[in-house]
Each structure stands twice: as C-alpha cells, then as structure tokens.
Amino acid sequence: MGEGPTDTDGRGDGRARHVAIIMDGNGRWAKKRAMPRSVGHQRGVEAVRRLVRGLGPMGLDCLTLYAFSSENWKRSEDEVDDLMNLMRKFIKSDLPDFVANDVKLKIIGDWQGLAPDIVAMLEDALAQTADGSKTLAVALNYGGQDEIARAAAKAAAAGEITASAIEAQLDTNDLPPLDLLIRTSGEIRLSNFLLWQAAYAEMLFIDTLWPDFKPEHLAQALNDFARRERRYGGR
Ligand code: FPP
C-alpha cells in the first residue's frame, strides 16, 4: 500500500464516509422561472436544510458543501449581500437542528475574513455543535489553491515540505479522506474546490439544479459509489 487513502473507510464495506458537493445552478433555477437569483439562492438553502436533516440514515461521517468561494466576491454587491444574509439566517434558524441531529459544524476556507458578526455567529455555532458525531463542513471564502498555499507555508515554516506534511496543515486535516465529489447543474469542473483532497475521490456530475437536489439524489449517489471499485493508482 502506497501513500494516500487506503480503503474508503477502513470498514471494508466500500461505503462513502466523506462526500463533498459543489452546489451549482441556483441562478439558472431562478431564471427558468423568471425569478430573481436571490430566490434561487433561498431555494438552495432549503436544499441544504433538507440534506442536513436527512443526513442521519445515510451513514456519512462528513458532508462538505461549497457555499461561498473566494471568487464569489466578484459577483454583484447585491448578490454577495444576499448570500451573506442567507448565511446569517441559516445559522440562526438551523443551529438547534444541528444540535438535535448530532451534527458538528466545521468551516473551511479563509472565513475569519468575513464580516465580524458572521465570524462571531460561526464561532458560537462551532462551540455549540462541538460534540456532534457527524460533520457538516461548510466552505466559506474558500479557494483550493489558497488552502494549499496556506498549508504549504505552514509546512515550510515547520521545516518539512512533503505531501504528508502539507496534507497535515490543510483546513480538512481532521476530516476523513474525501470519497466522492458531486457537482450539480451539469457543469464539469472543480472551480477551485478541494483540489488536493480530490486526488483520489470519485466524481459525479449530475444535471439536477441545486435547488431541486433532494436527499434521494445523495442516497442514489452513495449507492452507486458503493458499487465502484477504487484502486488509488494500483491494480
Ligand atoms: C451556485 O449557484 C451557488 C452558489 C454560488 C452559492 C451556493 C449557496 C447556497 C446554496 C446558499 C447558501 C448556503 C448556505 C449553507 C447557507 P449559481 O448562482 O452559480 O447558479 P448559476 O450557475 O445557475 O448562476
């Protein structure tokens, strides 16, 4: 066995432990209905909520969601404000749900640079959910290249620039290896998400627009995943 992840979960049943999702298509969902993009994002939050509530029976240890990329700042000021306000509302309204569903919140990315009230809300949410057994990791102000650069700088400062030393400094260093990366809306690219972690992950690109995504879509993806054979470069 070489470097990198070994079995998907050490349980030998081939089940995914860590799934990440690029939630794409909110704008197109709204456009198809002649609605403002903000409505698409609102419906996108509802899709997130459905998924978090349905997480228990899926047997996942970790779900990582790409909520706001470091490139999303280029969107109009109104849209950025909408997304930040949705984040505020979501944390406020769903925090009790996280606790009730045994979900531990984790944030990846350069999130300390967000508005101070959001940082404070997130810190409170992290503290309140610290004992959860399943992780919901939310990528905020996240860029994969930036994450790798930050991790490499820390590894260099500690005097060791190897793959494992860099990996140990990634934002995801306490999460299980990424098993499956899903992108909705039919686009086939990574958009700077989990670039390092995707090295051995399976990929699934589906046409469904994010607001239409249901827990059943994830359940189906997990079933398909369990049937795939992963070789990590070996035979
Ligand atoms: C992509 O749709 C989606 C985003 C840029 C943000 C994803 C955010 C949410 C689902 C809501 C906030 C999340 C949380 C956890 C509160 P798009 O606007 O790029 O869609 P388009 O490509 O069709 O225009």
Side-chain angles (χ1 to χ4, degrees):
M1 188 94 41
E3 275 212 345
T6 53
D7 189 27
T8 51
D9 55 9
R11 295 180 297 205
D13 59 6
R15 275 170 49 197
R17 290 177 66 193
H18 183 181
V19 174
I21 308 182
I22 301 175
M23 309 181 286
D24 196 11
N26 295 347
R28 275 161 287 166
W29 186 95
K31 193 171 180 193
K32 267 174 51 180
R33 291 161 178 80
M35 289 172 166
R37 294 177 63 79
S38 57
V39 177
H41 292 316
Q42 282 165 28
R43 297 302 177 91
V45 173
E46 283 165 29
V48 171
R49 185 171 287 130
R50 284 195 295 268
L51 212 52
V52 174
R53 290 186 178 157
L55 216 52
M58 306 238 191
L60 277 181
D61 292 342
C62 181
L63 176 68
T64 300
L65 300 177
Y66 204 6
F68 195 87
S69 78
S70 41
E71 285 77 34
N72 285 153
W73 295 109
K74 294 184 206 141
R75 297 189 176 207
S76 75
E77 208 179 315
D78 278 356
E79 185 166 357
V80 170
D81 283 351
D82 274 343
L83 287 167
M84 292 299 154
N85 285 332
L86 281 173
M87 190 63 57
R88 290 182 176 94
K89 271 168 75 178
F90 176 68
I91 300 289
K92 205 174 273 176
S93 61
D94 284 49
L95 185 55
D97 242 42
F98 291 175
V99 177
N101 286 300
D102 200 22
V103 170
K104 171 181 178 163
L105 185 68
K106 176 178 170 78
I107 312 292
I108 61 171
D110 198 4
W111 61 279
Q112 299 284 351
L114 297 174
D117 70 302
I118 298 188
V119 173
M121 279 177 88
L122 292 172
E123 280 169 347
D124 175 53
L126 293 173
Q128 285 198 46
T129 61
D131 294 333
S133 67
K134 297 178 283 281
T135 301
L136 173 69
V138 181
L140 286 178
N141 197 16
Y142 175 90
Q145 292 175 342
D146 172 67
E147 181 195 23
I148 294 168
R150 286 188 282 110
K154 285 188 205 157
E160 192 193 343
I161 310 182
T162 59
S164 57
I166 293 171
E167 190 160 77
Q169 299 293 348
L170 293 172
D171 297 351
T172 54
N173 59 7
D174 55 344
L175 300 180
L178 180 63
D179 294 309
L180 175 64
L181 178 66
I182 301 172
R183 182 173 189 143
T184 60
S185 92
E187 305 291 340
I188 303 181
R189 57 178 178 273
L190 292 181
S191 297
N192 205 13
F193 190 44
L194 300 180
L195 299 180
W196 183 290
Q197 297 84 345
Y200 290 100
E202 298 283 321
M203 311 262 171
L204 180 64
F205 298 93
I206 61 172
D207 288 337
T208 308
L209 301 174
W210 177 251
D212 291 327
F213 194 88
K214 305 267 169 7
E216 298 78 56
H217 289 98
L218 181 56
Q220 179 67 52
L222 293 175
N223 273 338
D224 293 349
F225 175 90
R227 283 199 294 271
R228 294 189 195 184
E229 188 193 351
R230 299 170 81 200
R231 290 200 286 264
Y232 305 106
R235 295 297 313 163

